[in-house]
Amino acid sequence: MNRRQPSTAALLAATIVVVVSLIALVLLPIVVRRQTESYRLENERHADPARVELNEISYRLSRQMAALTRAAATSDERHVERYRQQVPLQEAAVKSLGTHAGAINPEFDAAFAELQQRLATWHASVQRSVELQQLAFDANYATVIETIHRLDAAITAYQGTRRERVRLLARMQVWVTFALVLLASVAASLFLWMAQRLRTFAAMLGEEATARQAALERQQELVRIRDEILGVVSHDLRSPLTTIALSAQLVPGSPAAEQTEHVQTIVAATRRMERLIHDLLDVTKAEQGRLPIRRGAVDPAAVAREVVASHQPIAAAQQIDFEASVADGLPRISGDGDRLAQALTNLLGNAFKFTPAGGGVRLSVAQRDGNVLFEVSDSGPGIAPSDLPHLFEPFWQARKTAHLGAGLGLKITRAIVEAHDGAIEVTNLAGGGACFRIVLPAMKE
């Protein structure tokens, strides 16, 4: 037994590394997107308004200089009055520009302080020239223009720094993603190597025929457990992970009400993942294709609404028209709500997988003959008649859909339905596409 402990510990560690790496790969784009969005908001709050106010100051300066030039050429006091009318507008722009001091960079702060001083000096010199009735323009105006150019350069440098940080974030995301993928690959290889080692060790146990037979059965059980765990992880965790990623990407740019809805969708998908992870070992205890369930009174309408909410982001991302129809007054079902949601999620996952962009997927729930009927239909290519008898076989896939999944989804779905004393069937629709129907007995009042 002491020889087995290191192998088991390493296998557990490799599994944890793989799971943590997958979660990090999902969360990394979200973190990078949020930081990039913060840089964009900083530009919108400070750099862009500051540049607008700086342009306003330049415009007012040009108007003032034009008025003074005409006044010097014509000795018309009306032009001097036009100059004076521009001064408060310019001062208002300078005051508004000052609200961004301290938020951009030290170069901006220094140039802004200098701008205030040089504007005051220039206006004072103009005022003296007006009082002496000898309009003359010294070098103060040129220094004001030079200071405005320095402020513009400081704003440009601030924006350039934000753009450079965004580029650094993008490069960091690439390298961290590469490192996580590499780490997950190494951990997965270690996982498979340790599983092989456990099988070999189990095959060597015992010298007598009965011990060898027991070791062989244990080895086969380990292989089945491994395949079941890998299949459920790759198939059943993909859908909630996709829902979390898509909903999280919609949160930053959505209104407050929609953000709450997206967060609720993420929470629901996260809880589904937690339940699936806790139930991985329970799957291995299924007898004759039946999964263990936790019976209780289940509202089919509530289950349908939860599944629909978690698939809306997927439908939007794939440009698929997703429609749901849930009848009123549906009777309750004796069973496991999470397992029923898992079954519907498997069927909807297949429907979205084989429906092209612009197509449609429909989920309907109705009462029929004392039973509750769930229907999932799509507008995809349908199922070849020769493939229909094999759909619910584990690890089987049609040739045209090879490599699109582990082939466990429909097997698990049928096991869930049968555990609820129900039945499942599939047919091709006359207009194209396929329709899966689940019939579950309603609870007696």
Side-chain angles (χ1 to χ4, degrees), residues 157-214:
Y158 175 83
Q159 293 174 324
T161 300
R162 266 55 190 170
R163 287 193 293 270
E164 180 61 25
R165 289 180 181 178
V166 170
R167 287 193 290 269
L168 288 175
L169 278 175
R171 288 197 291 268
M172 181 202 70
Q173 181 180 4
V174 171
W175 284 107
V176 173
T177 300
F178 174 79
L180 289 173
V181 171
L182 181 62
L183 181 62
S185 301
V186 172
S189 300
L190 179 61
F191 178 92
L192 295 175
W193 178 75
M194 293 305 302
Q196 179 65 33
R197 201 175 153 192
L198 284 175
R199 291 200 309 270
T200 303
F201 184 80
M204 295 173 58
L205 291 177
E207 297 180 355
E208 297 182 357
T210 54
R212 288 197 302 267
Q213 183 62 32

Side-chain angles (χ1 to χ4, degrees), residues 309-380:
S310 65
H311 284 77
Q312 290 289 2
I314 300 175
Q318 298 182 207
Q319 298 180 352
I320 292 176
D321 183 18
F322 183 29
E323 180 181 358
S325 174
V326 181
D328 296 329
L330 292 174
R332 293 184 177 273
I333 299 171
S334 175
D336 189 331
D338 287 340
R339 287 297 190 186
L340 292 178
Q342 180 184 358
L344 293 177
T345 297
N346 288 341
L347 296 182
L348 286 173
N350 286 338
F352 283 116
K353 185 188 304 179
F354 300 116
T355 300
V361 174
R362 176 182 172 85
L363 169 64
S364 65
V365 188
Q367 181 178 4
R368 181 176 300 176
D369 300 329
N371 299 314
V372 177
L373 174 65
F374 296 83
E375 287 188 348
V376 175
S377 58
D378 61 70
S379 61

